[in-house]
């Protein structure tokens, strides 16, 4: 794999990690519990989501998690 494509993949995975981590951090402990998660699970869930980012695929082709409005 070329250096630039490896850097691109690393950057896109880092972005996905941050997106998922920020999104899940907005949920209350109760909402997380409803999903079967604890707050301490968030880094692992974000790492797993980041690992799904594939080399060479555009952002539009990546799995996308729906934004959920919550009160």
């Amino acid at each position: 794999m070329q250096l630039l494509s490896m850097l691109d993949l690393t950057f896109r995975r880092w972005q996905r990690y941050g997106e998922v981590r920020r999104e899940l951090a907005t949920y209350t402990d109760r909402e997380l519990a409803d999903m079967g998660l604890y707050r301490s699970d968030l880094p692992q869930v974000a790492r797993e989501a980041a690992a799904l980012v594939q080399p060479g695929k555009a952002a539009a082709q990546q799995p996308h998690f729906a934004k959920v409005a919550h009160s």
Side-chain angles (χ1 to χ4, degrees):
M1 191 177 282
Q2 293 180 341
L3 177 62
L4 292 179
S5 60
M6 188 63 161
L7 288 173
D8 177 60
L9 176 61
T10 301
F11 178 71
R12 288 188 296 118
R13 285 182 174 169
W14 176 72
Q15 281 182 313
R16 176 61 51 86
Y17 175 86
E19 290 169 359
V20 172
R21 186 84 191 263
R22 277 188 301 278
E23 174 70 21
L24 291 175
T26 64
Y27 290 105
T28 65
D29 289 339
R30 174 66 188 262
E31 291 168 324
L32 290 171
D34 288 345
M35 292 183 272
L37 297 172
Y38 295 101
R39 199 156 294 281
S40 61
D41 295 331
L42 300 187
Q44 180 62 32
V45 172
R47 278 192 297 273
E48 290 172 6
L52 295 175
V53 175
Q54 297 295 313
K57 290 190 177 180
Q61 296 173 328
Q62 294 298 322
H64 187 70
F65 302 97
K67 301 287 182 180
V68 178
H70 50 276
S71 53

